[in-house]
Amino acid sequence: MTAPTRPRAAGPVGARGRVTADPAGPPAVGYAQLWAADPGAWRVAGAAWARLTTLVETRAGELGTGARALRVAWSGRAATAADGRLAELRGELTSIAPALIEADQVLAEFAGRLSAAKGRLAEAVALAEAAGLLVDRHGRVGADPARSRPPGERDGPATARVAAALRAALELAGAADRAATARLDELASAAAGGWQAPPPPGRPAPGATPVAVRAWWAGLTPAQRRWLVGHEPTLVGRLDGVPVAARDQANRLLLGARREELLAERRRLLSRVPPGPVAALRLRGVEARLAGLDALGDRLAGPQVPRAYLLGLDPTGEGRVVVSLGDPDQADRVVTYVPGMTSGLDDAPGELTRVGRVQGRCATLDPGEQTAAVLWLDYDAPDFLHEAASAGQARDAGPALHRFQEGLRASHEGPAARQTVLGHSYGSLVVGMAARDHGLAADALVFVGSPGVGVAHAAELGVPSGQVWASSAPDDVIRLTRPPDDLARRLLLGPSPVAAALSLVGHGEHELWFGRDPAGPGFGGRTFPSGRHGHVGYWEPDNPALDGMARIVLGR
C-alpha cells in the first residue's frame, strides 16, 4: 500500500469521508474513521461488561447467605418483611446478569462486523492500487501520478469500481454502527425502567420444531425474553430455534452451577477412603472434565476475537458441549464441526482450537466475510475401539444434530448463511447417518479421516450436487480399516487373526469399516488433498487440507 493511500492520521470520531466518484453523497462512516477503527478495543470493552456478572453473582450470594442467617436469629412480622425485601434485592441483582452478557454480545458483534468492513476496505484499496489509482485520506479516488496504469484502462470505469467497493465497505460499517446503537439504546431504556418483568405466558410444546420455537420467541417482548433467560436458563439454553445470543446468555448463567456439580462429584469420590479402582478411575475423569471446563471458561471470559458463544453444556458422563466462535445468527458462513472417538468435555478446548483454525483461515482468505465456527459435541462419542466398531452411537446422535442445524437455519438473521457440516473420524459417520436418516440443513458436507459415512454414494446424503467433500491423509491409519464381514471371512479362512487382518491391506481398498471410502473413486463426491500428518493432523497450519476445508466453507 502506498503512503498516500493509507491515511496519515486517524480522523476524529464523527469525521466523514467522501468518495467523489459517487453522486449519492457522502457515506455514513468516514474512510479515515473506518481505517483507524480498532475492533479489538470494542471486544475488550464487551468482555469487561461480561465480567461484571461475577460480581453480581457474588453480591447475590452474599444477600442469600445473609438472609439465611437472619431467618435463624430473627422471627416475627418484621423479620418476614426484611426477608422478603432481601429476596427482592437478590432478584433485582440477578436480573441484571443477562443484560451484562447482552452488552458484551452487542459490542462483540459490532467488533466482528467492523472487522469485516475493514477487510472490505483493504480489498478496495488493493483494487485501486492494481488499477493505478490513489485513495487519499478522505476516501477520494483519483489517478496516482506516481504509478503506471494497465494498458487501455480508462479512469472512469476503474474509478467507479473502486468507489463502489469503498462505499460498500463504509456502508457495512455504518449498518453495524446503527445496529449496535439501536440495541444499546434499548438496553439503556430497559435499565432506566428496571429489569423486573412478569413471566411470559406459555412455553413451546415438547418436541416443537425449531421453526415453531423461533416463532414463539419472536412473539415475546424484550423484557419477557430477559425474564426467561434469567429465570429459566435451562429451558432457553437448550432450545434449538432460540437465537444464539439468548442461548449463550442462558448457558453462561448456568456455567457456575455446572462447575459446582463436578466439584460435588469430586468431593464424593474423595470421601471414599481408600478409593477403589473404579472410584479412582472416575476421579480421574472428573478431574479431566474440570480442567476442560475451566479452560473453556477462560476462553468464554476472554477478549479474544471472535467471541465464543456457549450453546450447550452438560458435564455428566463424558461431558457434552456446543460452542461457537462467532455468532452463527449474524455470520455469512457457518461451519459445524463434529469430532470423533474419545471426544468429551475434557478435550473440548483442543477440538475448539481445530475448528478455530478453519475459521481463522476463512478470515485470512476472505476478510470481508464473517464466518462462525461451531464445535458440536452433543453426543456420546465412543471411548473404546469396540464401541467405535458399532454405528449405534452415531445413529443415536442423528436427531440432535438434525435439530441443531434446523435451529441454525431458523434463528439466522438476514440472508441465509452458507452452512457446512464437517465430520472427523467417527464424527464423519455421525454426519453421514444424520444426513441419510434425518436430513441436514447444510449446503455442503465435509469428511476428513473417515472410516465410512454409512452410505455407498454421495447422492444418498441429500445435499446439493458437488457439495460432498472428503480428504484422507496418505498416512492416516483409518485407510487400513476394512468392512467387518471381510475381516470375519478372513478370520475363518486364514491361518491366524494377524494374517487375516494383514490380508485386508491392499484389497478392496475403497471399502472401509462403515462403507465406501468417501475420499475414493466411485463414491460420487469431491476430494481435496492432505499432507502426511496422520489421523489427527488435518488442522495443522502447513497442511493443505486446512486450506481445503476453509475454501469449502467459503463456497470457493
Side-chain angles (χ1 to χ4, degrees):
M1 183 175 295
T2 62
T5 302
R6 187 185 184 103
R8 295 182 181 85
V13 175
R16 295 293 182 260
R18 184 165 61 92
V19 181
T20 57
D22 192 330
V29 173
Y31 173 82
Q33 184 184 13
L34 177 56
W35 195 278
D38 181 6
W42 290 106
R43 181 67 195 96
V44 170
W49 280 101
R51 283 196 296 273
L52 290 175
T53 57
T54 302
L55 179 61
V56 167
E57 291 171 0
T58 299
R59 294 293 181 259
E62 290 171 352
L63 282 174
T65 301
R68 286 191 294 273
L70 282 175
R71 284 194 293 270
V72 172
W74 191 18
S75 61
R77 295 175 61 184
T80 301
D83 188 61
R85 181 56 182 149
L86 286 174
E88 290 176 2
L89 289 173
R90 189 168 184 270
E92 290 173 9
L93 267 179
T94 56
S95 68
I96 297 172
L100 296 175
I101 300 172
E102 188 173 349
D104 174 34
Q105 292 171 336
V106 172
L107 295 179
E109 290 165 16
F110 176 61
R113 296 178 70 183
L114 197 59
S115 294
K118 286 175 70 70
R120 293 191 184 184
L121 189 69
E123 291 173 350
V125 170
L127 180 64
E129 290 186 335
L133 297 172
L134 176 74
V135 182
D136 70 14
R137 61 172 293 158
H138 301 292
R140 291 186 291 253
V141 184
D144 184 354
R147 301 283 301 277
S148 60
R149 302 283 304 283
E153 181 69 78
R154 294 183 291 116
D155 285 347
T159 301
R161 286 195 297 272
V162 173
L166 287 170
R167 179 165 290 279
L170 297 177
E171 287 178 349
L172 179 61
D177 182 71
R178 291 189 296 274
T181 299
R183 291 183 63 186
L184 291 173
D185 283 348
E186 194 277 324
L187 272 174
S189 297
W195 297 109
Q196 299 283 34
R203 301 294 182 271
T209 67
V211 171
V213 170
R214 183 69 181 94
W216 163 74
W217 188 263
L220 302 175
T221 66
Q224 289 173 327
R225 295 169 188 165
R226 291 192 186 101
W227 188 95
L228 283 166
V229 169
H231 292 81
E232 298 183 19
T234 303
L235 170 70
V236 175
R238 63 177 172 79
L239 274 180
D240 294 310
V242 167
V244 164
R247 293 182 67 175
D248 174 63
Q249 294 166 26
N251 285 307
R252 283 173 180 256
L253 294 178
L254 293 169
L255 197 57
R258 297 293 181 255
R259 188 174 190 276
E260 182 55 40
E261 290 173 16
L262 287 175
L263 290 173
E265 185 177 354
R266 183 175 68 175
R267 288 192 293 269
R268 286 195 299 271
L269 293 170
L270 287 173
S271 67
R272 300 179 183 181
V273 181
V278 174
L281 184 63
R282 289 178 178 171
L283 181 60
R284 285 196 294 271
V286 171
E287 296 282 6
R289 278 179 281 151
L290 268 172
L293 183 59
D294 287 343
L296 187 60
D298 290 342
R299 178 61 179 87
L300 290 167
Q304 297 96 321
V305 177
R307 183 186 189 274
Y309 290 75
L310 184 60
L311 306 184
L313 177 64
D314 181 358
T316 61
E318 297 300 319
R320 302 184 181 196
V321 66
V322 182
V323 184
S324 178
L325 299 179
D327 184 354
D329 288 348
Q330 307 290 333
D332 305 294
R333 309 284 186 266
V334 181
V335 55
T336 301
Y337 164 52
V338 183
M341 180 179 168
T342 73
S343 298
L345 184 56
D346 56 342
D347 59 0
E351 298 292 359
L352 192 62
T353 297
R354 289 180 175 180
V355 73
R357 287 180 178 173
V358 178
Q359 190 276 340
R361 191 60 57 93
C362 288
T364 299
L365 293 172
D366 194 345
E369 297 287 327
Q370 293 188 76
T371 300
V374 182
L375 167 64
W376 189 86
L377 182 46
D378 195 15
Y379 82 107
D380 181 20
D383 292 319
F384 305 101
L385 284 173
H386 72 274
E387 293 176 333
S390 166
Q393 284 162 272
R395 185 180 300 108
D396 293 344
L401 181 58
H402 164 78
R403 283 186 59 87
F404 180 75
Q405 288 298 121
E406 292 291 329
L408 291 182
R409 284 278 197 234
S411 62
H412 190 269
E413 299 179 12
R418 175 177 169 82
Q419 303 272 8
T420 301
V421 183
L422 162 67
H424 173 238
S425 193
Y426 193 86
S428 70
L429 179 64
V430 172
V431 174
M433 296 188 73
R436 182 195 71 187
D437 298 341
H438 308 281
L440 284 179
D443 301 291
L445 301 180
V446 183
F447 307 117
V448 292
S450 177
V453 298
V455 301
H457 195 275
E460 300 175 57
L461 296 171
V463 295
S465 177
Q467 292 300 317
V468 175
W469 296 81
S471 183
S472 183
D475 57 344
D476 191 335
V477 295
I478 208 75
R479 297 163 70 102
L480 301 179
T481 63
R482 291 296 177 264
D485 55 342
D486 281 5
L487 179 59
R489 184 168 58 255
R490 284 173 169 77
L491 283 171
L492 289 173
L493 300 177
S496 72
V498 173
L502 291 175
S503 71
L504 294 175
V505 179
H507 294 277
E509 58 181 328
H510 303 306
E511 289 292 328
L512 300 176
W513 190 266
F514 293 110
R516 187 173 289 273
D517 183 358
F523 184 77
R526 301 167 71 182
T527 62
F528 56 99
S530 173
R532 300 183 66 85
H533 289 272
H535 186 59
V536 296
Y538 294 93
W539 296 267
E540 291 300 316
D542 61 341
N543 193 339
L546 182 59
D547 261 3
M549 288 184 279
R551 292 183 185 279
I552 295 164
V553 171
L554 292 170
R556 293 186 171 184

